């Protein structure tokens, strides 16, 4: 049996669906603020299906996660699924939440919103009083609206790439017209490691990279700000 689900660790996340909220930290299922009781196995099953949605988990994966290294009757899983469905008021024939993948396993099929109760450390690009959320991996910076947009005439459409790898930063130039500078030195197409104390200049615009502890809600707000800015840039060019 597969063992990849067993190592899944509960995150400090609350999943919201319909009138329900499942708090992974407190392991509570609430319906309009009132707790609904579920057995430990049923809570674990619900958490697993929510965590990997919309992917369906096979019966083998679920048996391995719920009863590791233990032989149990095949009806045990069906009983746990039925417990979750009863508590959610769900119907197997017209599933709102727990869908049967016939001949395979089960999946969570309802619309879900999630919120994080903990804060997180996010990589940010600070430029002219604005904060741009950097993603793990490569982040292209320039005037082009499908990247991190810095609307300055001295910056090329695709000016430079900032790479984030486990909290470490590097930057390389993309053959820009006015150059990319780190601490006063012009760099080329090879990655140069930068730190929060490094002074980065794209053209005539100064910026820096930092790791800052922020709330997950603010992280989502930054994403929306960047998205709205990209849409505005595109509308301006049309």
């Amino acid at each position: 049996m597969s063992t990849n689900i067993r190592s899944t660790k509960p995150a400090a996340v609350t999943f919201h669906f319909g009138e329900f909220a499942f708090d992974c930290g407190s392991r509570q299922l609430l319906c309009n603020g009132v707790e609904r009781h579920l057995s430990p196995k049923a809570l674990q099953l619900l958490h697993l299906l929510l965590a990997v949605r919309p992917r369906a988990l096979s019966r083998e994966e679920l048996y391995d996660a719920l009863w590791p290294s233990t032989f149990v009757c095949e009806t045990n899983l069906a009983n746990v699924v039925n417990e979750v469905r009863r508590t959610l008021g769900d119907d197997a024939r017209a599933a709102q939440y727990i869908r049967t993948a016939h001949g395979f396993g089960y999946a969570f099929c309802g619309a879900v919103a999630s919120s994080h109760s903990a804060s997180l450390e996010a990589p940010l690009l600070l430029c002219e009083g604005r904060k741009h959320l950097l993603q793990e991996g490569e982040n292209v910076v320039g005037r082009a609206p499908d990247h991190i947009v810095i609307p300055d005439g001295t910056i090329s459409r695709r000016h430079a790439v900032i790479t984030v790898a486990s909290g470490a930063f590097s930057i390389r130039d993309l053959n820009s017209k006015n150059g990319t500078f780190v601490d006063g030195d012009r760099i080329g197409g090879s990655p140069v490691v930068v730190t929060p104390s490094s002074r980065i200049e794209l053209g005539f615009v100064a910026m820096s990279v930092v790791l800052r502890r922020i709330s997950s809600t603010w992280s989502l707000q930054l994403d929306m700000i960047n998205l709205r800015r990209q849409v505005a840039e595109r509308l301006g060019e049309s």
Side-chain angles (χ1 to χ4, degrees), residues 17-229:
F17 52 96
E19 67 267 39
F20 295 98
F22 179 65
D23 187 325
C24 300
S26 64
R27 293 178 59 80
Q28 286 182 303
L29 176 67
L30 305 176
C31 179
N32 294 322
V34 179
E35 184 174 6
R36 290 285 184 89
H37 177 75
L38 281 175
S39 68
K41 294 297 183 188
L43 284 170
Q44 189 178 358
L45 172 69
L46 180 59
H47 186 189
L48 289 170
L49 294 179
L50 283 166
V52 304
R53 71 190 191 286
R55 183 167 77 87
L57 292 177
S58 69
R59 290 183 176 85
E60 289 76 15
E61 287 176 302
L62 290 170
Y63 275 113
D64 190 58
L66 298 173
W67 298 280
S69 304
T70 304
F71 176 79
V72 294
C73 178
E74 289 187 3
T75 59
N76 282 29
L77 178 58
N79 290 339
V80 175
V81 171
N82 287 336
E83 179 188 349
V84 175
R85 281 175 169 158
R86 283 196 306 272
T87 303
L88 299 180
D90 205 8
D91 186 342
R93 292 169 294 183
Q96 295 183 45
Y97 301 120
I98 309 298
R99 175 178 65 85
T100 300
H102 295 287
F104 182 76
Y106 300 93
F108 194 93
C109 60
V112 180
S114 61
S115 60
H116 296 251
S117 58
S119 60
L120 55 86
E121 198 170 56
L124 300 173
L125 175 67
L126 307 183
C127 178
E128 298 183 324
R130 293 181 176 177
K131 304 176 181 69
H132 303 270
L133 186 64
L134 298 171
Q135 306 297 327
E136 188 78 6
E138 293 191 343
N139 301 263
V140 176
V141 183
R143 290 186 294 105
D146 52 342
H147 306 302
I148 294 178
V149 179
I150 310 295
D152 185 275
T154 65
I155 292 181
S156 301
R157 288 180 59 81
R158 299 180 78 256
H159 196 108
V161 173
I162 297 173
T163 300
V164 181
S166 301
F169 302 97
S170 65
I171 187 170
R172 60 185 176 88
D173 188 69
L174 292 177
N175 197 30
S176 64
K177 179 180 179 180
N178 293 311
T180 299
F181 300 83
V182 176
D183 294 329
D185 296 326
R186 185 165 186 164
I187 66 172
S190 298
V192 173
V193 174
V194 291
T195 67
S197 63
S198 300
R199 178 179 173 83
I200 302 169
E201 293 171 286
L202 273 59
F204 298 157
V205 180
M207 58 194 68
S208 61
V209 290
V210 297
L211 279 175
R212 183 164 294 174
R213 202 157 186 82
I214 64 174
S215 69
S216 297
T217 301
W218 191 44
S219 170
L220 293 173
Q221 289 173 344
L222 283 171
D223 281 338
M224 291 305 297
I225 290 170
N226 288 336
L227 179 60
R228 286 195 293 268
R229 188 174 299 131

